[in-house]
Amino acid sequence: MVSSITRTQGWISEGSNSKIEQSCALNLIPLPASPLFGTDGIRGKVGELLNAPLALQVGFWAGIVLHNHAAEVGPVIVGQDSRNSSDMLAMALSAGLTAAGLEVWYLGLCPTPCVAYLASMSDAIGGIMISASHNPPEDNGIKIFGANGAKLSPRLQAEIESGLRGKISFEAVVDKCGRHHSRKELIGQYREALQQPLQPTMNLQGMKIVLDLAWGAAVGLAPSVFAEMGAEVICLHNEADGDRINVNCGSTHLDILQATVIQHHADIGFAFDGDADRVLAVDNTGREINGDYILYLWGSHLQQKQQLPDNLIISTVMANLGFEKAWQQLGGNLIRTAVGDQYVQAEMLKTGGMLGGEQSGHILCRHYGITGDGLLTALHIAAVVKEAGISLSEMVDQSFQTYPQLLRNVRVLDRERRLGWQDCQPVQNAIAQAEAAMGDDGRILVRASGTEPVIRVMVEAAHAELANYWTSELVSQVQQYLG
């Protein structure tokens, strides 16, 4: 028998009406006035914005929305990183999803792209990952994917949020009880998908590779995947540790990786973030290799093999001018998007682009995957270096010189003030003054982070003195009027 449900004081109960009452409020879950979904899902400090009651409601409303938009009903795949709070949030989400009448396939500890891949390759109607990516251990987040493995569209995110706020305009009908299943064996399918494109023609034999796993989601996969491809592997921070995830390690802290690569005379080093959807590299001299260089090197490789339509790379407004000009000299095209891999992915789907990513290390290659994938990127960059027959440092030296680019994070704890920074006239005046002074020799980007309580100020200029001067001026203005 089909029964409808209504929400009363933030909880789910049986009811007799076919529509949920729109006047109902989440009395037990205070929500900020600003949108819950940022550039990478819902993210915040556990115990404040993120808690088990909210996760349960997110699971329920995500289940209702995914079900409403699915051609056929299927499971929802759930994975998590190693944070201490991830178990709690994953179980609460699963409770919400099963309350919505859905089947949950729970993977446990796994990289974010594993969830996205399995959602796209199975009968699932979506996937949810519990992770705050590169954020510190006390934070966590909820990332939701559609059945195609892409991050959920803003329209569907808005539907979930309207449910959370008691402002829905659609029916929520549950006709059965959901079930929760542990499906950790499915991670093996993702492992095979990582290796299959390179085998059997390519291996990493003779390469010594250092992996910094950030005490996070990649610890169970990355070492064995690289070893099975023939590499000699040296691992750092390679246990699941919720107290230390991302702490002075991983893609945001490269110093230990750099020192280890030099110490062991390694060919290359890779640093992942907490959920392994992004990666930065270190060459054999210990030099950082960011996403711009990764895109250039991988793009050049694909271009030579005539596997890059229109020689197109999609990147963001953060991409360095030196990278853009060098790529254009190779006959390439570069399209910039807003910061966030979801915007890169959307532009790739719109234009037919096969390679895109961010300077921070989110790299997407549609030949091999649907979303940003640190492990996949690292494997292919190692293979590009192996095939080139020269060191990564030589490849970088032959690529391009970056323009001096400074990025400063200014803490702005007031969420409303942070997200509304564009209404601050003194800051806008300072930006206009800097842009007029630098002209074509530089550019400025100021934006509120979608994942952290900071406003990011980036200045790029042909000369370091210009970048330093205007970065200091703009940071001072943001601190004075917003901080």
Side-chain angles (χ1 to χ4, degrees):
M1 176 179 178
V2 176
S3 65
S4 65
I5 54 164
T6 60
R7 290 159 64 240
T8 305
Q9 295 183 341
W11 298 100
I12 302 167
S13 62
E14 295 287 343
S16 58
N17 297 325
S18 63
K19 265 189 183 177
I20 292 181
E21 297 177 7
Q22 297 185 34
S23 61
C24 204
L26 285 173
N27 297 328
L28 298 182
I29 307 176
L31 298 177
S34 54
L36 290 176
F37 284 89
T39 56
D40 207 14
I42 301 172
R43 191 176 296 188
K45 191 176 294 293
V46 177
E48 295 179 4
L49 174 65
L50 274 180
N51 52 39
L54 175 64
L56 185 147
Q57 294 282 352
V58 170
F60 175 77
W61 289 109
I64 293 296
V65 170
L66 289 171
H67 178 231
N68 284 351
H69 290 274
E72 296 183 11
V73 181
V76 175
I77 295 171
V78 176
Q80 67 175 75
D81 70 13
S82 61
R83 294 166 202 274
N84 294 335
S85 59
S86 290
D87 285 348
M88 171 191 73
L89 295 175
M91 294 304 100
L93 271 162
S94 180
L97 289 163
T98 54
L102 296 178
E103 185 174 327
V104 174
W105 290 357
Y106 176 62
L107 304 179
L109 183 71
C110 67
T112 289
C114 177
V115 173
Y117 170 78
L118 291 172
S120 71
M121 298 301 293
S122 69
D123 294 329
I125 62 173
I128 302 180
M129 179 70 181
I130 312 301
S131 177
S133 191
H134 63 280
N135 282 32
E138 60 269 20
D139 291 349
N140 217 324
I142 301 171
K143 304 181 184 184
I144 307 177
F145 299 88
N148 62 352
K151 290 181 180 177
L152 209 61
S153 70
R155 181 172 66 88
L156 297 191
Q157 289 179 359
E159 287 192 19
I160 294 171
E161 187 155 345
S162 68
L164 290 167
R165 295 184 184 278
K167 299 178 180 178
I168 62 166
S169 58
F170 53 87
E171 290 188 345
V173 178
V174 178
D175 59 2
K176 64 178 181 179
C177 295
R179 299 288 302 275
H180 174 103
H181 302 280
S182 178
R183 298 296 308 272
K184 296 181 180 181
E185 79 281 359
L186 295 176
I187 298 174
Q189 295 182 20
Y190 170 66
R191 172 196 292 271
E192 293 176 6
L194 289 172
Q195 296 172 315
Q196 188 272 330
L198 296 171
Q199 294 174 332
T201 59
M202 173 56 67
N203 62 61
L204 303 179
Q205 290 179 2
M207 297 190 75
K208 184 184 293 186
I209 298 175
V210 183
L211 304 177
D212 183 345
L213 304 171
W215 309 113
V219 297
L221 271 178
S224 58
V225 167
F226 275 86
E228 288 167 9
M229 290 297 297
E232 178 185 345
V233 181
I234 300 167
C235 291
L236 302 170
H237 316 117
N238 57 327
E239 296 178 2
D241 191 328
D243 290 319
R244 293 188 286 178
I245 184 171
N246 296 321
V247 177
N248 298 320
C249 62
S251 61
T252 55
H253 297 85
L254 297 179
D255 50 335
I256 297 177
L257 176 64
Q258 291 169 316
T260 305
V261 167
I262 295 171
Q263 176 188 351
H264 291 273
H265 305 288
D267 296 288
I268 192 170
F270 293 109
F272 305 95
D273 62 345
D275 66 337
D277 66 347
R278 76 185 206 185
V279 65
L280 293 180
V282 170
D283 72 12
N284 49 297
T285 70
R287 176 173 47 179
E288 176 183 343
I289 309 300
N290 66 21
D292 287 348
Y293 282 104
I294 291 172
L295 287 172
Y296 182 92
L297 296 175
W298 201 355
S300 301
H301 180 78
L302 293 173
Q303 184 187 53
Q304 292 168 7
K305 294 181 177 295
Q306 298 184 331
Q307 295 178 349
L308 198 63
D310 299 323
N311 295 327
L312 176 63
I313 291 177
I314 310 296
S315 192
T316 76
V317 291
M318 292 298 294
N320 193 276
L321 279 173
F323 161 42
E324 181 175 19
K325 292 184 176 181
W327 183 241
Q328 289 171 344
Q329 288 175 357
L330 286 182
N333 301 306
L334 181 72
I335 294 177
R336 295 177 183 266
T337 73
V339 173
D341 61 323
Q342 63 177 317
Y343 302 113
V344 173
Q345 184 181 53
E347 188 67 23
M348 291 173 69
L349 294 172
K350 174 184 173 183
T351 61
M354 299 303 290
L355 181 66
E358 298 186 279
Q359 191 181 79
S360 60
H362 284 115
I363 308 295
L364 300 87
C365 185
R366 291 179 57 220
H367 289 297
Y368 310 111
I370 189 65
T371 191
D373 191 329
L375 289 182
L376 186 149
T377 299
L379 282 169
H380 281 267
I381 291 302
V384 167
V385 174
K386 173 76 179 294
E387 188 172 327
I390 60 175
S391 68
L392 178 56
S393 63
E394 291 175 285
M395 296 179 71
V396 170
D397 288 341
Q398 295 171 14
S399 60
F400 63 90
Q401 290 291 319
T402 60
Y403 277 37
Q405 186 184 79
L406 293 181
L407 177 63
R408 297 287 183 267
N409 293 330
V410 183
R411 288 187 69 80
V412 179
L413 297 179
D414 187 310
R415 183 182 175 92
E416 303 295 331
R417 183 180 294 180
R418 183 172 74 249
L419 296 180
W421 72 268
Q422 291 174 312
D423 297 327
C424 181
Q425 197 57 47
V427 172
Q428 291 290 357
N429 292 341
I431 293 171
Q433 182 183 5
E435 288 176 336
M438 290 193 296
D440 294 335
D441 289 332
R443 65 189 187 98
I444 293 166
L445 178 66
V446 178
R447 67 179 185 90
S449 170
T451 59
E452 298 176 81
V454 298
I455 288 179
R456 305 195 196 281
V457 177
M458 188 276 285
V459 178
E460 186 174 85
H463 305 289
E465 295 80 5
L466 275 176
N468 277 311
Y469 176 79
W470 288 113
T471 299
S472 297
E473 288 292 311
L474 292 172
V475 165
S476 176
Q477 293 295 308
V478 172
Q479 288 175 332
Q480 180 177 350
Y481 292 101
L482 295 171

